[in-house]
Amino acid sequence: MRRPLLSFDKVLIANRGEIALRVVRACREMGIASVVVYSEADAHSLPVHLADEAICIGGPAPRDSYLNIPAIISAALISGAQAIHPGYGFLSEDFDFAEVCKEHGLVFIGPPPEVLQRFHDKSETRGALRDIGVPVVPGSEGLLRTASEALRVAEAIGYPIMLKARAGGGGRGMRRVSSPSELQRMWEQARAEARSSFGDEGIYLEKNLEGVRHIEAQILVDDAGAAVCLGERDCSIQRRHQKILEEAPSPTLSEELRRSIARTATDAAAELGYRGLGTFEFLVDRSGNFYFIEVNARLQVEHTVTECITGIDLVKEQLRLATGEPLSFSPEQVWINGHAIECRINAEDPANNFAPMAGTVQTYLAPSGPGIRIDSHLFPGYEVPAYYDSLLAKVIAWGRDRAEAIARMQRALDELTITGIVTNVAFHKRVLGSDIFRSGEVTTHLLDMLGVEAIA
Ligand code: MV4
């Protein structure tokens, strides 16, 4: 269904920090006016300063601001924005929000509500992919109702297993269980966390695959259903299931396996009626078997490394797709060039079990030079609020090959200067300097092997 709009005159950005700035930049390059909404805690933030307009929508708590649907819709209507970009996190995959946008004649820049709803339940999505022949991790058929049912299914599959929240996302709501004696306690923890974090205590389970790679395929599908894959990202380096460092392409996939994963994701997206930009996640074992685990129906933090190796601006593609335009490129025009690595610079203290840190940025010197990109909302004097996630900056290094990307990232992290708040830069230097990372033998066990606890 084509919309009459060739593009938008004005887009409201319902997010904050580096991703709000990222969308403001894409809008500016496309001649689209940008409106950011902000909480009282973000009144002096860089997105507020750089956007064309800024509207304060409430107090610091997310429920009063970035999750406050009536306030966001009102800001969009008052400002005359035709569309809302949700960024990632917050309301980015909330089908109620997408529906309310539609009811108010606002374009939600993301998959349509029915697609968000279809892919919201990770257990249902697993079943849908399995039913069209995509390999999934051995696990339960749907949700588990009781701990004893979980015990029975786990016995049949074999330990260790992973309990997962069907409404989980961003690595939250997962528990690894290595023996029957642990299961009751982990079951109760997983359900409690799912209930409090997502308002949904639905739990399913999968065999816990050890020492695998976490490979995600970047997919784009236009309104006509034409699907294309922009290559894959390797996100195996996670701590407590939160990504820390990502790279593209994966250093460990053969060309054949790369093509097979891309085709599987593209075909599944087309067959299941996916629309817009999305990510299909897989686990890949040492024998080259891959298993689907989940779909992320949103722009991801690590979209940057895909942009660096393809030259395609994913936010601009989202804005184009949202007006009903076809993709601005054909599959034949997708060329993967070079290698990119992203380090997430977080306000957390690696020496203190990565405890989140608050504070005021005193000095901020961003690296630059060949192959370096910085996506950050930091500036000297910026007060890092304690209400939101700890991401301060993303340092992205591109090189003709992986070795050059690593060398550039090491140079960039040496140049990066942030004082006034503790960050995890030292941790990134340790990973980048380690033989195991440099060898490319990257698996979900990398942090364990470096002596950093990775699993919750
Ligand atoms: C898994 C897994 C092993 N087995 N599922 C983590 C975040 C989320 N997107 C999916 N994740 C995983 N799911 C099964 N059945 C391993 C991961 C995983 C991981 C786990 C522990 C430590 C680091 C990890 C890094 C990437 C993925």
Side-chain angles (χ1 to χ4, degrees):
M1 178 273 282
R2 274 190 183 281
R3 295 182 182 85
L5 281 171
L6 278 181
S7 181
F8 302 115
D9 299 321
K10 188 181 284 188
V11 167
L12 181 139
I13 296 143
N15 215 302
R16 62 176 299 281
E18 68 87 15
I19 196 61
L21 204 44
R22 174 72 187 82
V23 180
V24 166
R25 287 169 168 160
C27 288
R28 182 134 311 147
E29 291 176 21
M30 294 176 82
I32 299 170
S34 55
V35 186
V36 293
V37 290
Y38 65 93
S39 75
E40 289 158 4
D42 284 330
H44 305 294
S45 65
L46 199 52
V48 167
H49 177 67
L50 290 181
D52 296 304
E53 290 176 56
I55 302 176
C56 184
I57 52 169
R63 69 176 174 282
D64 298 329
S65 48
Y66 301 106
L67 295 175
N68 183 342
I69 294 179
I72 292 168
I73 296 293
S74 304
L77 298 175
I78 290 164
S79 66
Q82 290 103 351
I84 296 181
H85 195 299
Y88 50 64
F90 294 131
L91 297 167
S92 60
E93 294 183 88
D94 186 311
F95 51 86
D96 289 327
F97 177 60
E99 194 57 49
V100 169
C101 289
K102 202 171 170 181
E103 288 163 5
H104 287 81
L106 296 162
V107 174
F108 174 84
I109 297 170
E114 61 275 12
V115 171
L116 288 174
Q117 189 146 29
R118 188 177 313 146
F119 288 89
H120 175 73
D121 182 326
K122 287 163 53 174
S123 177
E124 291 289 316
T125 302
R126 214 176 96 82
L129 272 285
R130 185 195 53 226
D131 293 349
I132 62 171
V134 173
V136 298
V137 180
S140 58
E141 302 276 326
L143 296 184
L144 301 161
R145 280 177 298 279
T146 62
S148 54
E149 185 178 356
L151 205 57
R152 183 171 49 73
V153 174
E155 289 293 332
I157 285 173
Y159 289 92
I161 56 111
M162 189 80 94
L163 293 174
K164 292 188 171 182
R166 69 166 167 184
R172 291 176 304 155
M174 297 169 55
R175 284 294 185 285
R176 182 180 180 279
V177 184
S178 51
S179 71
S181 59
E182 279 182 12
L183 195 127
Q184 181 68 39
R185 177 167 57 89
M186 289 299 185
W187 166 264
E188 285 157 10
Q189 278 185 23
R191 279 176 80 83
E193 181 183 339
R195 198 181 307 121
S196 64
S197 303
F198 319 115
D200 176 331
E201 57 183 19
I203 299 288
Y204 64 101
L205 77 76
E206 295 175 341
K207 178 134 189 75
N208 184 64
L209 303 186
E210 306 275 352
V212 290
R213 274 109 62 191
H214 181 289
I215 303 295
E216 56 186 36
Q218 183 65 70
I219 301 293
L220 278 152
V221 188
D222 65 21
D223 275 2
V228 68
C229 179
L230 292 184
E232 84 281 346
R233 297 184 286 262
D234 191 319
C235 306
S236 301
I237 301 180
Q238 300 188 19
R239 184 181 163 278
R240 295 193 170 187
H241 309 151
Q242 300 293 319
K243 294 164 183 167
I244 296 175
L245 178 153
E246 306 96 348
E247 61 183 310
S250 169
T252 56
L253 298 186
S254 66
E255 275 311 308
E256 186 194 357
L257 187 50
R258 168 164 292 120
R259 275 196 301 277
S260 181
I261 288 173
R263 191 174 50 251
T264 300
T266 310
D267 292 351
E271 196 166 339
L272 295 175
Y274 193 83
R275 286 290 180 277
L277 182 139
T279 300
F280 280 57
E281 286 190 7
F282 298 87
L283 296 176
V284 182
D285 69 17
R286 293 183 189 293
S287 315
N289 304 304
F290 59 87
Y291 307 89
F292 168 82
I293 44 175
E294 59 189 83
V295 170
N296 298 310
R298 67 177 185 275
L299 179 70
Q300 296 205 259
V301 172
E302 63 271 20
H303 74 276
T304 56
V305 293
T306 301
E307 294 187 322
C308 284
I309 63 168
T310 61
I312 294 168
D313 183 315
L314 293 181
V315 177
K316 289 185 185 175
E317 289 307 317
Q318 281 188 295
L319 289 161
R320 281 177 57 87
L321 290 178
T323 60
E325 287 296 301
L327 293 171
S328 69
F329 53 87
S330 66
E332 297 69 41
Q333 290 172 298
V334 177
W335 288 82
I336 304 295
N337 177 29
H339 196 97
I341 298 171
E342 175 184 85
C343 288
R344 299 189 191 197
I345 310 303
N346 296 329
E348 54 190 22
D349 183 359
N352 182 15
N353 199 24
F354 291 85
M357 306 302 287
T360 300
V361 176
Q362 299 305 323
T363 51
Y364 172 58
L365 176 67
S368 56
I372 296 302
R373 165 177 166 179
I374 304 292
D375 281 20
S376 176
H377 55 297
L378 289 195
F379 56 88
Y382 175 58
E383 276 187 53
V384 179
Y387 302 91
Y388 313 112
D389 66 34
S390 63
L391 184 65
L392 296 176
K394 298 172 337 192
V395 180
I396 301 103
W398 176 87
R400 287 166 308 168
D401 55 29
R402 188 171 190 261
E404 186 170 60
I406 292 174
R408 281 179 169 163
M409 180 62 85
Q410 288 180 306
R411 170 181 65 77
L413 295 180
D414 286 341
E415 287 179 26
L416 175 64
T417 308
I418 302 174
T419 64
I421 187 160
V422 175
T423 72
N424 63 348
V425 168
F427 168 77
H428 282 296
K429 290 180 178 177
R430 189 167 150 213
V431 171
L432 289 160
S434 71
D435 294 340
I436 182 167
F437 176 78
R438 299 171 73 86
S439 73
E441 274 312 300
V442 176
T443 75
T444 55
H445 278 181
L446 184 135
L447 293 194
D448 296 327
M449 296 159 95
L450 288 181
V452 176
E453 50 75 37
I455 298 176

